[in-house]
Coordinates of all heavy atoms in Angstrom, one line a residue:
K176 N 0.1 4.9 21.0 CA 1.1 4.5 22.0 C 2.5 5.1 21.6 O 3.4 5.2 22.4 CB 1.2 3.0 22.1 CG -0.1 2.3 22.5 CD 0.0 0.8 22.5 CE -1.3 0.1 22.8 NZ -1.2 -1.3 22.6
M177 N 2.6 5.5 20.3 CA 3.8 6.0 19.8 C 3.5 7.1 18.8 O 2.4 7.0 18.1 CB 4.7 5.0 19.1 CG 5.2 3.9 20.0 SD 6.2 2.6 19.1 CE 7.5 3.6 18.5
P178 N 4.4 8.1 18.6 CA 4.1 9.1 17.5 C 4.1 8.4 16.1 O 4.8 7.4 15.9 CB 5.3 10.1 17.6 CG 5.8 9.8 19.0 CD 5.6 8.4 19.3
A179 N 3.3 9.0 15.2 CA 3.2 8.4 13.9 C 4.5 8.3 13.2 O 4.8 7.3 12.5 CB 2.2 9.2 13.0
G180 N 5.3 9.4 13.3 CA 6.6 9.4 12.6 C 7.5 8.3 13.1 O 8.3 7.7 12.4
A181 N 7.4 8.0 14.4 CA 8.3 7.0 15.0 C 7.8 5.6 14.5 O 8.7 4.7 14.2 CB 8.2 7.0 16.5
I182 N 6.5 5.4 14.4 CA 6.0 4.1 13.8 C 6.5 3.9 12.4 O 7.0 2.8 12.1 CB 4.5 4.1 13.9 CG1 4.0 4.1 15.4 CG2 3.9 2.9 13.2 CD1 2.5 4.3 15.5
V183 N 6.4 4.9 11.6 CA 6.9 4.8 10.2 C 8.4 4.6 10.1 O 8.9 3.8 9.4 CB 6.4 6.0 9.4 CG1 7.0 5.9 7.9 CG2 4.9 6.1 9.3
G184 N 9.1 5.4 11.0 CA 10.6 5.3 11.0 C 11.0 3.9 11.4 O 11.9 3.3 10.8
L185 N 10.4 3.3 12.5 CA 10.8 2.0 12.9 C 10.4 0.9 11.9 O 11.1 -0.1 11.7 CB 10.0 1.7 14.2 CG 10.7 2.3 15.5 CD1 9.7 2.1 16.7 CD2 12.0 1.6 15.8
M186 N 9.3 1.1 11.2 CA 9.0 0.2 10.1 C 10.1 0.2 9.0 O 10.5 -0.9 8.6 CB 7.6 0.6 9.5 CG 7.1 -0.4 8.4 SD 7.7 0.2 6.7 CE 6.6 1.6 6.5
S187 N 10.5 1.4 8.6 CA 11.6 1.4 7.6 C 12.9 0.8 8.1 O 13.5 0.0 7.4 CB 11.8 2.9 7.2 OG 10.7 3.4 6.5
L188 N 13.2 1.0 9.4 CA 14.4 0.5 10.0 C 14.3 -1.1 10.1 O 15.3 -1.8 9.7 CB 14.7 1.1 11.4 CG 15.9 0.6 12.1 CD1 17.2 1.0 11.3 CD2 16.0 1.3 13.5

Side-chain angles (χ1 to χ4, degrees):
K176 301 171 185 175
M177 297 177 63
I182 294 174
V183 176
L185 280 171
M186 181 268 288
S187 293
L188 181 60

